[in-house]
Amino acid sequence: MILSGSVLLVWSAGGKNVFLYDRGDKIVKHYTKDLNLEKKYINKSLFENNKFVNLTYDDYSNLLYILFENFKVVVLETNRFNRVIEFEYNLNDFDINEKPKDILFSENSSNIYYLITDKRIYKYFTNTNNRLIGKWNLINNLKIGRAS
């Protein structure tokens, strides 16, 4: 396996699939559990015009979510890497300097996911993609105690 730059690896549940973002080549790669390259998602324009943040695999729907710094998300089906949808979050929901960090899927409901930023956790339904249904402030809810 030859990689041109730093990478981000995502393992699917059960370890059947491995998804990797190669920061050097700006390509998403799909490997089997035995680390054999299966396919690549190449979209030079997308990755050059949007700064990559993270990718997350949804085991319920077999979809790969690619998150960018400008709060854009591209969703791919993983069988052939066809684009299912592309959407952007409403920037009015975020602070000016807030930065997206990750997308996490609920372990209890196949229709709920969370967008994690450096300041908050936002809750969404997967079937409405970017319509906000709840949020929690990370800073306000942390209580830090001192050891005696």
Side-chain angles (χ1 to χ4, degrees), residues 16-33:
K16 294 179 184 175
N17 297 292
V18 178
F19 299 95
L20 174 143
Y21 178 69
D22 185 327
R23 293 181 192 274
D25 287 339
K26 297 184 178 179
I27 295 172
V28 175
K29 299 175 181 178
H30 175 218
Y31 292 88
T32 65
K33 66 178 179 178

Side-chain angles (χ1 to χ4, degrees), residues 41-121:
Y41 178 70
I42 300 170
N43 188 328
K44 190 173 186 173
S45 172
L46 177 69
F47 291 114
E48 292 201 358
N49 294 320
N50 300 280
K51 186 175 178 186
F52 173 86
V53 172
N54 213 328
L55 55 94
T56 305
Y57 178 72
D58 180 5
D59 285 302
Y60 290 112
S61 61
N62 199 32
L63 297 174
L64 189 67
Y65 285 64
I66 305 171
L67 177 63
F68 296 95
E69 191 175 66
N70 58 358
F71 289 92
K72 175 188 248 181
V73 175
V74 173
V75 182
L76 306 174
E77 59 83 18
T78 58
N79 292 327
R80 296 191 180 194
F81 274 165
N82 291 323
R83 187 181 302 205
V84 174
I85 191 169
E86 179 178 313
F87 62 89
E88 294 181 16
Y89 294 101
N90 183 347
L91 295 180
N92 293 325
D93 292 337
F94 308 102
D95 289 347
I96 291 172
N97 296 323
E98 197 165 359
K99 298 195 181 333
K101 296 293 183 185
D102 202 357
I103 291 175
L104 299 174
F105 292 93
S106 172
E107 293 181 6
N108 300 318
S109 173
S110 61
N111 193 35
I112 293 177
Y113 78 95
Y114 303 92
L115 172 66
I116 313 300
T117 71
D118 58 343
K119 297 181 181 183
R120 294 179 185 83
I121 298 173

